[in-house]
Amino acid sequence: MPRPTDHELFDLGDVVLQGGATLRGAQLAYKTYGTLNAEKSNVIVHPTWYSAWHDANEWSVGPGMACDPDKYFIVMPNQLNNGLSTSPSNTPPPYDGPNFPHVTFYDQVEVQHRLLTQKWGIESVELVLGSSMGAGQTYQWAVSHPEMVKRAAPIVGSSVTSEHNQVFLKSLRAALTADPVFDGGRYSPDALPTVGLRAFARIYAGWGLSQAFYWQREYRTLGFSSLEDFLVGFWEGYWLDERDPNDLLGMLWTWEHGDVGKTPGFDGDTEAALRSIRCPLLAMPAKTDLYFPPEDEVWASQFIPNGEVRVIPTIYGHFAGLGQNPADNEFIDRALTELLARPA
Amino acid sequence: MPRPTDHELFDLGDVVLQGGATLRGAQLAYKTYGTLNAEKSNVIVHPTWYSAWHDANEWSVGPGMACDPDKYFIVMPNQLNNGLSTSPSNTPPPYDGPNFPHVTFYDQVEVQHRLLTQKWGIESVELVLGSSMGAGQTYQWAVSHPEMVKRAAPIVGSSVTSEHNQVFLKSLRAALTADPVFDGGRYSPDALPTVGLRAFARIYAGWGLSQAFYWQREYRTLGFSSLEDFLVGFWEGYWLDERDPNDLLGMLWTWEHGDVGKTPGFDGDTEAALRSIRCPLLAMPAKTDLYFPPEDEVWASQFIPNGEVRVIPTIYGHFAGLGQNPADNEFIDRALTELLARPA
């Protein structure tokens, strides 16, 4: 899947990040589907997941679906660090490559908020949804802008990144940076640390899908002829496909440090942040997800006044929320349709 | 934990492996507990798990326990490749280091069989038990020598290594060998690929224990002050503690290719091999094990005429079978006591 070019760029100007650094002349890449109505009352926001570009969200959009472009104005902002928005790979010195500053989920949502308010004058959002790191951004939207978000649907994600999930991420970082070519992030774009990226791919392969997925050799349904073909053809191919290592490590940091409790005003209190969410929030973890297990969402839900958890019954593990399996897509779409039908 | 020195060595002579290579002048390291009775009717065999030496099995032995040394003669053979028995790290050229041949579970059991029959004239074994790769050897004993094994108890392991489990192992290998110091296995013993080993450790940390273990910060019970302290102090410390990378990769190969169906005579038919098991076999997977999930054992059990599965109710994941948690140890010991009390 080549890097998409069908997006637009919004000039953010200077962005002061939560950590203190200023990204000067930052840009947010986004794509929209459908038309903003005169009342500006038909907005859906759908941020991107780890390593992905906006096109990876398109499975959720279509006539007759919950995210119907004939009805809604759907905005898909690319997260900072993903290579299309301002990222290590496209920033000039001195904040280039490994010198790029850390970005939090709070920062991600603030720049998306600027896009919506400054570009279109949008004041309310019918639904924020997102998968995986997109779910982290969804939670953040609900906590950062309760005055604006009418409904939220975090899919295969969480409000705070669990320690087990962090161990996964730390193992990815350790494998990628073990490649000598990585050289502290000072590799040449013409000679990427492919040995480290292939190790990264194999680690990810074990976490991304469930035990049952592999037991049933479900990768054959996805068009792969054997386990090794799946590991090389899909997994290694994916991570070697124009995904920049410093960008990947930037997004990894955001994910690893995900916690709505870190929103200014909550002083690290995750439960208080969850209690502050005003809108209905429908969380959809996948039954067999190894790093965002349903338990994390059940835990969070107890603090959200209008929270609900609906577990996707699937063997696709984390991939259930990434548009890979028609049955899971349908489950999610039905739930989103129901959520959008609720008065808010 | 330093490498133990309280073992004995049995001269195996020349060992022709299943793959065709001959290990000349091979040795099997073992330790025994208790005394062989005159009838040679009180033997228990307990092989080692991945990366471990015999001392890692000692949690299962004690007066009043199922494996009571006042009653039984307990033999703990160290698997080939573990650094005490013949291994890449202690074999002279031409089969040294990365040139060491592949060893199967079948091979492991054949050399253990030589030890029992040639050294002591043992003809029957009351119980074979083992955890993780020790479980793989337990299944292999039951298939290779049904005439000899009276009871079998594979713990947190399986009869065939699932593809999901293989992905885990492939990721470990990819991370370790990404370290340039590894150099195709030709590293100097004085300059180990520690960057690769630390990445290896972080991958293992995510798989070895469950989501709930980390969520509850159960590592504090084990004496670690934080997640990072657990990752460095326990996990990195463990893999940097005199464990040779070529030995680790040797054991990894055995594990990855585990399948009782590969026993000579079964032509790859795993189900037929399981059907051939005559003794009672009590499998004890752990409820939260991420790479040897209970499902694999339930699958195998349906083919074993006298098979039973008893799931360890635990948040310790794979570690439940490695003697780390008193409650899990008790669960296992009770089950073993009951199994040994059954007429065979």
Side-chain angles (χ1 to χ4, degrees), chain B residues 5 27 29 85 99-100 107 127 146 151 166 168 177 187 195 235-236 248 250 263 282 305 312-313 315 317 320 326 337:
Chain B
T5 55
Q27 291 187 305
S85 291
N99 308 296
F100 197 79
D107 296 325
L127 172 68
R151 299 169 192 84
Q166 288 174 25
F168 164 41
T177 60
Y187 52 85
V195 171
W235 282 102
E236 297 186 6
L248 292 176
T263 307
L282 174 57
I312 309 170
I315 64 161
T337 301

Side-chain angles (χ1 to χ4, degrees), chain A residues 215-235:
Chain A
W215 185 270
Q216 297 178 30
R217 296 190 167 82
E218 186 70 17
Y219 48 77
R220 293 182 302 201
T221 307
L222 301 180
F224 298 90
S225 50
S226 66
L227 177 62
E228 192 63 18
D229 186 49
F230 186 51
L231 294 178
V232 179
F234 176 77
W235 282 102

